[in-house]
Amino acid sequence: MTGIDSMNPQNPPLSDEALMAMALEAAREAAAMGEVPVGAVILDPATGQVIACAGNGTIGAHDPTAHAEILALRAAGAALGNYRLTDLTLVVTLEPCAMCAGAISHARIGRLIYGADDPKGGAVAHGPRYFDQPTCHWRPEVLGGVMAEESAAILREFFKQRRDVRAGSLADSGMIREVRGAG
């Protein structure tokens, strides 16, 4: 999804929640492809135009860097003909990891909005807190927790389904057996 004009008189400016809803849809599409459900949207706040939208693609692309944020940054850079995405807004369903935080800084994103916290892999409010480091040369404005429950719920359901499928496969193979009367 690229080039959505939200400044058209029939389209009011997109709220943070409307942008997150678009990112959540990209996350759902990623999940349908077997990818971890994370979605990202990039908006030009000056024009109100959505420049790029992407979901995770690491598995399908055989590329460990194909996180939703990276794919959206690449698409926005290609659309604008510039690797600097100065002052654009990036909306993502999950707190960015260190790799994505570094790319966000290098791209000069002006505002980062994310949904669910990621205490294990996040690098904005957790872990290395990338934007707080003295070696970080560009720090976006950060707003976390936008539609956090919806973002977290998609991830929980995705991983629950994967565990259920795995447990079913192991039980079918005879590797897991129910033990009754143990105690």
Side-chain angles (χ1 to χ4, degrees):
M1 174 189 311
T2 59
I4 297 169
D5 183 7
S6 65
M7 293 304 277
N8 182 316
Q10 284 96 16
N11 299 329
L14 294 170
S15 67
D16 294 347
E17 291 76 14
L19 291 164
M20 186 61 74
M22 295 171 103
L24 286 164
E25 184 55 34
R28 286 184 198 94
E29 290 171 9
M33 304 278 286
E35 301 282 354
V36 174
V38 176
V41 172
I42 296 181
L43 172 81
D44 182 346
T47 66
Q49 184 175 26
V50 172
I51 306 297
C53 184
N56 265 1
T58 57
I59 297 167
H62 310 288
D63 180 356
T65 70
H67 290 194
E69 302 95 309
I70 300 295
L71 296 176
L73 290 168
R74 289 175 184 163
L80 298 174
N82 195 338
Y83 72 105
R84 295 282 194 222
L85 305 175
T86 306
D87 296 329
L88 299 185
T89 298
L90 171 63
V91 180
V92 62
T93 59
L94 183 66
E95 176 184 350
C97 69
M99 174 185 69
C100 292
I104 290 164
S105 178
H106 284 282
R108 307 293 195 252
I109 290 292
R111 186 167 183 239
L112 168 64
I113 300 167
Y114 69 88
D117 282 333
D118 186 358
K120 289 183 179 179
V124 176
H126 299 89
R129 298 178 188 256
Y130 187 89
F131 302 125
D132 293 339
Q133 299 305 313
T135 54
C136 178
H137 298 295
W138 182 271
R139 294 165 181 83
E141 174 189 333
V142 176
L143 175 62
V146 175
M147 297 177 70
E149 183 50 41
E150 294 91 331
S151 298
I154 289 173
L155 287 159
R156 276 193 307 271
E157 181 59 26
F158 176 81
F159 286 112
K160 180 186 180 306
Q161 288 177 1
R162 287 187 69 179
R163 284 190 301 275
D164 291 349
V165 167
R166 181 170 161 79
S169 296
L170 292 174
D172 291 344
S173 71
M175 294 179 73
I176 295 178
R177 295 183 197 162
E178 186 177 335
V179 178
R180 294 182 187 237

